[in-house]
Amino acid sequence: AGILATAARAEAEAPPGFVRIVPTEGRAPVFLAPSQVVRIARVEGRTVLDTAAWVQQRTTEPAESIASRLREAGVRLVALTDLSQGRIWLAADRIVAVRDSNDRHAAGARAAIIMVGLRFNTDVAVRETVEEVMEALRRLPPP
């Protein structure tokens, strides 16, 4: 019984410097270093975390919950609006540039945010203007 309790506790608790994520595949938890998260978004009904290693982690956990846990771990996340009117969180320290979308993105895109570590592209289109994105970044706590 002691061995089972120890195994269950090890599965449930994240080591220092990591957060526990429940993967969509129903497998054992994944332990993720918060400082390596680039973006948190909803895709096809799942929460998707892009990482600096160009790897995505999918989970059934709500995106808001993940964002809250990462903020508690010290990640500076800026909350913006994706093109489907959903919430998206970007790691401020992974942003390289913010620019007009220049009609390059789908309808409704007003700004493009170039980021390090996105798996399928280098930028994220959002509904906010460049000025609104910059104001949201200014409101974040300093690094």
Side-chain angles (χ1 to χ4, degrees), residues 1 22 44-45 58 61 77 121 140:
V22 178
E44 299 170 356
R58 291 179 181 251
E61 295 181 64
L77 294 173
N121 53 17
L140 290 178

Side-chain angles (χ1 to χ4, degrees), residues 15-137:
F18 288 84
V19 293
R20 179 181 182 268
I21 305 293
V22 178
T24 57
E25 299 86 15
R27 296 188 185 128
V30 172
F31 297 96
L32 188 66
S35 63
Q36 299 304 309
V37 173
V38 175
R39 169 177 62 174
I40 305 165
R42 294 287 296 172
V43 177
E44 299 170 356
R46 305 276 192 224
T47 297
V48 175
L49 295 92
D50 283 293
T51 69
W54 298 287
V55 172
Q56 285 185 342
Q57 178 60 53
R58 291 179 181 251
T59 178
T60 55
E61 295 181 64
E64 296 80 7
S65 172
I66 298 286
S68 176
R69 290 173 38 216
L70 292 178
R71 281 190 180 118
E72 289 172 10
V75 179
R76 294 177 344 113
L77 294 173
V78 60
L80 299 168
T81 310
D82 68 20
L83 299 184
S84 61
Q85 298 288 29
R87 229 349 145 209
I88 185 170
W89 290 266
L90 306 177
D93 300 330
R94 300 289 179 173
I95 295 174
V96 175
V98 179
R99 65 178 183 206
D100 286 329
S101 73
N102 298 324
D103 300 325
R104 183 173 169 258
H105 300 92
R110 297 168 73 196
I113 302 168
I114 295 38
M115 303 196 69
V116 172
L118 295 177
R119 182 170 180 192
F120 296 114
N121 53 17
T122 58
D123 63 353
V124 175
V126 296
R127 292 198 173 270
E128 287 82 2
T129 65
V130 169
E131 293 78 17
E132 291 167 332
V133 171
M134 297 312 294
E135 181 56 33
L137 289 168

